[in-house]
Amino acid sequence: MRLYDCINTDTRNMIEYVKGELTELTPALATVEAAGVGYGLNISLNTYSAIQGKKEVKLYVYESIREDAHVLYGFVNKKEREMFELLISVSGVGPNTARMMLSSMSVSELCAAISTGNERVVKGIKGIGKMTAQRIIVDLRDKIVALGITDEIPAGGTMAAPVNNAVRDEAVAALTMLGFSPAPTQKVVVAILKEQPNAPVEQVVKLALKQIK
């Protein structure tokens, strides 16, 4: 049984995946050109870590279709997408919140927290309050335990250490795209880089997500 079998299949994607040249990449957005069309895909830090440095990529797609917008989310494998779909099936958890959760923790870490009922860890993710954390655990705990999800995505990636200003700017840009104000975000990012000057972008963003108020 696959994880997305637990989800209403009436809303399955028209686009299953996009495969092509990775033309642009930030910790929050990947642009993939396929058949002359550039697809802008919102991604998590886990996916960013997995595809950085690659020229050709294949990202599984979730389409968020509203009256005012058609937004695409991309995932390096089906398990991350399936976890994303489970998260947004919980009342009060939208696509951006689910992406935030998958940027703060790996799929396996998130599954472990939910399956063991670790409310403190789930609540520690930016934007997740006590009631939402409890709802996520109650709604998803049994499904995750029954399916025995394993994580196919590395918890972190390796990348050549750029100059600090480049890391700072990219981290601030990623956090701004996630909805945080630039000024306080930059202050937190700079403080992190002072303590860990060689930290890669995804690590800086993960640390910032835990500190931004």
Side-chain angles (χ1 to χ4, degrees):
M1 182 178 182
R2 294 172 299 179
L3 182 54
Y4 56 69
D5 290 334
C6 298
I7 305 168
N8 184 349
T9 55
D10 291 340
T11 58
R12 294 297 295 159
N13 299 320
M14 291 179 63
I15 302 174
E16 172 66 9
Y17 61 82
V18 174
K19 183 178 181 179
E21 181 185 357
L22 181 62
T23 58
E24 294 183 32
L25 179 66
T26 73
L29 185 71
T31 301
V32 181
E33 183 176 338
V37 178
Y39 295 90
L41 303 163
N42 292 278
I43 59 173
S44 71
L45 284 175
N46 284 319
T47 291
Y48 170 77
S49 296
I51 67 174
Q52 60 179 333
K54 294 186 177 181
K55 294 182 178 180
E56 298 286 330
V57 297
K58 177 180 179 180
L59 295 179
Y60 292 91
V61 175
Y62 176 84
E63 300 172 69
S64 177
I65 302 175
R66 307 191 307 266
E67 290 185 2
D68 60 339
H70 184 178
V71 183
L72 301 179
Y73 293 84
F75 307 92
V76 71
N77 60 32
K78 288 185 177 180
K79 286 195 178 296
E80 189 188 27
R81 182 177 67 180
E82 289 161 5
M83 189 68 229
F84 176 88
E85 290 176 317
L86 268 189
L87 289 170
I88 63 174
S89 74
V90 177
S91 176
V93 179
N96 285 330
T97 299
R99 181 173 65 149
M100 179 84 70
M101 296 179 73
L102 289 167
S103 291
S104 300
M105 304 173 70
S106 71
V107 175
S108 60
E109 290 169 340
L110 188 55
C111 287
I114 295 171
S115 63
T116 59
N118 195 330
E119 180 186 320
R120 180 186 61 80
V121 171
V122 178
K123 190 176 64 175
I125 300 172
K126 181 67 179 178
I128 303 297
K130 182 176 181 179
M131 295 298 293
T132 301
Q134 291 174 343
R135 198 155 49 235
I136 289 170
I137 291 170
V138 169
D139 288 1
L140 304 184
R141 185 174 186 174
D142 290 344
K143 294 177 182 178
I144 288 173
V145 171
L147 291 166
I149 307 168
T150 56
D151 187 12
E152 295 178 356
I153 307 171
T158 58
M159 61 183 294
V163 297
N164 286 348
N165 285 344
V167 174
R168 179 201 63 197
D169 293 345
E170 197 165 356
V172 171
L175 290 160
T176 301
M177 291 180 70
L178 288 173
F180 296 103
S181 299
T185 294
Q186 178 157 311
K187 183 177 180 180
V188 170
V189 168
V190 169
I192 292 170
L193 286 172
K194 284 182 178 179
E195 294 183 1
Q196 302 184 44
N198 296 320
V201 174
E202 66 269 23
Q203 183 180 343
V204 173
V205 174
K206 282 187 177 183
L207 291 171
L209 287 171
K210 297 177 182 179
Q211 298 181 29
I212 299 175
K213 305 298 183 182

